[in-house]
Amino acid sequence: MTNREIIKLIKGLKNDPELGGAFDVKKSWKNFVEKYDFENDFSDYKLSWRDYLEYFTHVGSKAVLKPAGALASVFVLVFAGWISMVNVSLASLPGDFLYPVKLATERTQLILTATSGQRARLHAEFAGRRLDEAMGISTSTRSNKDELMKTAVDNFRSEVVSVTDELKNVSSVGDAQAVTDLAEAVDRKAEEYSAVINQSSGDVTEVTAVVVEAQEQVTETVVDEHETQPQQETERYLDTAFQKDAADIRDRVDMVNVRLNRIETVLADHNLSTVDVSKTIEITRVAIKDFEEKIQDFSGIFSAGGYRTVFERISEMKVVLTNAEIVVADLEIMVTTQTSP
Amino acid sequence: MQEKILLFKIRTRRDEKAFAKIYEQHASAVHRFLLAKLPSHEDAEDALSTTFLRVWNYLTSSEVEKVSGLIFTIARGVVSEFYRTKRIETTPIEEDVADKNETIEITGEISLIKKALDEMDEETQLALTLRFFEGKKVSEVADHLQKSESATRMIIHRATKKLRAKFEKKL
């Protein structure tokens, strides 16, 4: 007997009931339906195109949505992590672990910025941050405070230089409105910087100098713009800047005179006057004596179009005033020391 | 593909007509399998209903790639349960199976084949049933057994040889 014959034999017996043959599937289904209350429909079941469409949509969405969901989750986690890190890094100071993240974020913002005007505003914003960092370091108790302070001031200066550079770029395009808008924005920022500096208790002479320098450079850029192409906007800006500087100088001169008078009174009351001190007071008074007359003269020069000359002279007057204020401050310290019990 | 869509419809819509189609495709093979394992036609018919009810419950709640493996796994469980219950009710399974075997009179080819199938392991039994009684292709049998086609061919070949030896001995 061969294998083939055996197979033939088995196949021949497949319908025998003893071997489960002649199985009536319809009857069996009927029993099942009656037993478990199913739908008794055993008609020719054909799948429609809708069934296929529904199935493939399901499979497709599963294949796309699952990886997409996983990818989105990863992205959200990474993004949220990055945002958290950036937020935390905003409070960091030079020397901190997260400080490079803060700088990298700022550089990215600058790269993504299209115009010089926007970049200048960003640099002004970042200069404010560098200033806050410098102030934070000046009041801190870090061991390498001097080194960090130097870094912070350098960073501040670098941002301010970038502001004026970008301002010059805007000026080169010849858009007077944009130049004045930006110059005003930088001025407002400079005022904010000055407010921060005034509140500081540390040595911020260098930082103050950077801010003054920045304001002068902004004015110079607008003067350049106006000289190249006189416009109402630039003229208005220069006029406002001149009036502001004049008022500022007058206030500072008055303040210096008031402080000198007070020093003289205290010295006289305590019989502490010496020749040297009287001479110093006199020299200081003389140095700022004719400032009011000069401002009057400058008004005439300004009206005649001598903007550059006027602002250069004002800058010189500010230097003199700053020196006078330093002398007055020294005298006040001396008086306080000598009169204290 | 058609089976996948049927399973999808059963799971998402509890489509009884789609389930009837699955029943139509697999009931005969499962019935043969159960008949070979259980003492009577009635028991096999009962076990078939129980098996397919459990298949229905599973398919409506879980996603299944291939249904044949699942059906036979459930059918095996139903058979085990049958003998377990019976043992608790009456006598131990060994005795019961032995009794069943003893009652088979080896008269003629059918009884000989039945006895030979009983002596084979479950996998071989299933392979022969599907291949020769149900007329399935080797690839389909391999799918049921979750084996490669060559391994399935080997199982069928060895089983055929054993059967031949039994017949030759008897003749």
Side-chain angles (χ1 to χ4, degrees):
Chain A
M1 196 174 212
T2 61
N3 278 3
R4 196 180 290 267
E5 284 168 334
I6 282 289
I7 292 167
K8 201 177 164 190
L9 178 72
I10 297 170
K11 283 184 175 173
L13 296 171
K14 71 176 184 183
N15 289 327
D16 192 289
E18 273 301 306
L19 294 170
F23 174 73
D24 188 346
V25 71
K26 284 186 182 172
K27 196 180 159 197
S28 173
W29 175 250
K30 200 180 166 198
N31 290 339
F32 180 80
V33 163
E34 281 169 4
K35 205 167 176 183
Y36 300 115
D37 197 24
F38 268 62
E39 195 177 339
N40 188 15
D41 189 350
F42 213 67
S43 55
D44 193 19
Y45 186 84
K46 279 185 181 161
L47 294 170
S48 67
W49 63 270
R50 269 191 186 179
D51 295 329
Y52 282 91
L53 184 70
E54 204 177 347
Y55 174 72
F56 285 117
T57 310
H58 166 77
V59 171
S61 64
K62 209 171 115 185
V64 173
L65 287 178
K66 263 194 176 176
L71 203 68
S73 307
V74 170
F75 179 76
V76 165
L77 282 175
V78 170
F79 190 69
W82 173 252
I83 292 290
S84 309
M85 194 160 72
V86 167
N87 279 337
V88 173
S89 76
L90 281 178
S92 63
L93 296 174
D96 287 350
F97 180 69
L98 284 177
Y99 191 67
V101 175
K102 186 181 184 178
L103 293 185
T105 311
E106 290 177 358
R107 294 309 108 181
T108 310
Q109 275 182 272
L110 284 169
I111 288 166
L112 296 174
T113 306
T115 65
S116 289
Q118 287 171 332
R119 272 197 295 277
R121 282 171 209 273
L122 270 182
H123 278 300
E125 179 67 34
F126 299 156
R129 289 184 192 173
R130 298 298 89 80
L131 185 62
D132 288 338
E133 289 160 16
M135 297 302 117
I137 290 167
S138 74
T139 54
S140 73
T141 53
R142 296 177 181 220
S143 56
N144 54 346
K145 187 175 161 180
D146 292 343
E147 193 189 325
L148 291 176
M149 185 66 184
K150 190 177 176 305
T151 309
V153 173
D154 284 347
N155 290 344
F156 176 61
R157 183 183 288 113
S158 166
E159 292 293 352
V160 170
V161 168
S162 299
V163 173
T164 49
D165 284 349
E166 294 295 351
L167 184 60
K168 279 171 189 161
N169 286 340
V170 175
S171 173
S172 66
V173 178
D175 185 349
Q177 184 66 53
V179 172
T180 48
D181 283 352
L182 193 52
E184 281 167 0
V186 176
D187 280 344
R188 280 195 295 277
K189 273 282 166 195
E191 280 168 19
E192 283 175 30
Y193 304 156
S194 300
V196 173
I197 292 165
N198 290 335
Q199 285 171 4
S200 170
S201 55
D203 181 10
V204 288
T205 321
E206 205 175 344
V207 182
T208 312
V210 175
V211 174
V212 171
E213 199 180 312
Q215 280 178 304
E216 286 175 0
Q217 281 188 11
V218 168
T219 309
E220 194 183 319
T221 307
V222 180
V223 170
D224 286 345
E225 174 74 19
H226 192 70
E227 283 177 351
T228 315
Q229 194 181 2
Q231 295 279 334
Q232 276 187 342
E233 292 86 1
T234 45
E235 189 173 349
R236 182 181 51 77
Y237 174 84
L238 293 174
D239 188 48
T240 308
F242 172 64
Q243 297 301 337
K244 218 166 106 184
D245 279 345
D248 179 48
I249 288 170
R250 283 187 182 116
D251 287 347
R252 287 170 72 185
V253 167
D254 288 346
M255 186 54 74
V256 168
N257 283 326
V258 167
R259 286 162 76 188
L260 286 174
N261 291 341
R262 200 180 296 145
I263 290 166
E264 274 185 328
T265 310
V266 175
L267 288 173
D269 289 348
H270 290 81
N271 288 325
L272 292 170
S273 289
T274 62
V275 178
D276 283 348
V277 172
S278 301
K279 203 172 175 181
T280 306
I281 291 171
E282 188 55 31
I283 290 168
T284 310
R285 276 205 178 107
V286 169
I288 58 170
K289 191 181 173 186
D290 59 346
F291 272 26
E292 180 55 39
E293 286 169 35
K294 280 180 179 172
I295 288 171
Q296 297 293 336
D297 292 346
F298 291 164
S299 296
I301 299 169
F302 193 88
S303 304
Y307 308 106
R308 191 176 295 279
T309 311
V310 169
F311 283 110
E312 280 173 2
R313 298 276 168 79
I314 283 177
S315 175
E316 289 165 9
M317 285 165 75
K318 282 181 180 173
V319 173
V320 174
L321 255 174
T322 304
N323 290 334
E325 284 164 347
I326 291 167
V327 171
V328 171
D330 287 345
L331 287 171
E332 282 171 342
I333 292 166
M334 185 267 289
V335 168
T336 310
T337 317
Q338 289 188 2
T339 56
S340 57
Chain B
M1 176 53 62
Q2 196 202 32
E3 187 176 278
K4 283 185 177 175
I5 298 172
L6 291 173
L7 294 174
F8 172 70
K9 285 179 71 106
I10 292 166
R11 186 168 62 82
T12 56
R13 300 255 177 92
R14 298 178 72 86
D15 190 333
E16 292 181 4
K17 284 182 183 176
F19 186 66
K21 194 76 185 167
I22 294 286
Y23 191 96
E24 187 185 13
Q25 288 169 354
H26 298 277
S28 174
V30 181
H31 180 255
R32 275 186 202 276
F33 171 78
L34 292 169
L35 194 62
K37 296 275 175 190
L38 297 169
S40 67
H41 281 272
E42 288 72 30
D43 291 332
E45 191 62 41
D46 276 351
L48 185 69
S49 303
T50 311
T51 301
F52 273 92
L53 181 70
R54 289 181 190 177
V55 170
W56 165 260
N57 290 335
Y58 195 90
L59 293 182
T60 49
S61 59
S62 309
E63 202 168 346
V64 175
E65 280 288 313
K66 282 179 183 171
V67 74
S68 63
L70 172 77
I71 295 174
F72 280 95
T73 305
I74 292 175
R76 264 182 225 113
V78 171
V79 170
S80 306
E81 210 173 280
F82 174 86
Y83 284 112
R84 210 165 40 242
T85 318
K86 211 163 166 83
R87 185 166 49 183
I88 294 164
E89 283 173 2
T90 57
T91 50
I93 181 171
E94 290 80 10
E95 285 176 31
D96 193 58
V97 173
D99 289 350
K100 184 197 161 200
N101 289 341
E102 278 167 17
T103 54
I104 296 168
E105 281 182 40
I106 310 205
T107 50
E109 293 158 338
I110 292 167
S111 299
L112 194 62
I113 288 177
K114 224 178 163 190
K115 188 165 191 314
L117 282 174
D118 273 347
E119 286 170 3
M120 288 175 185
D121 65 83
E122 197 178 287
E123 190 177 69
T124 313
Q125 231 178 68
L126 190 59
L128 282 181
T129 306
L130 292 171
R131 179 76 181 114
F132 300 128
F133 293 157
E134 292 299 314
K136 303 268 184 201
K137 292 176 189 167
V138 177
S139 60
E140 288 173 315
V141 179
D143 235 29
H144 273 270
L145 301 181
Q146 303 212 321
K147 289 198 177 285
S148 66
E149 272 192 48
S150 54
T152 308
R153 271 182 212 285
M154 187 61 74
I155 290 170
I156 294 168
H157 179 71
R158 281 180 187 160
T160 314
K161 264 174 81 178
K162 272 187 191 172
L163 272 177
R164 198 179 80 188
K166 286 255 174 213
F167 270 84
E168 281 173 352
K169 208 172 159 186
K170 213 68 196 165
L171 287 173

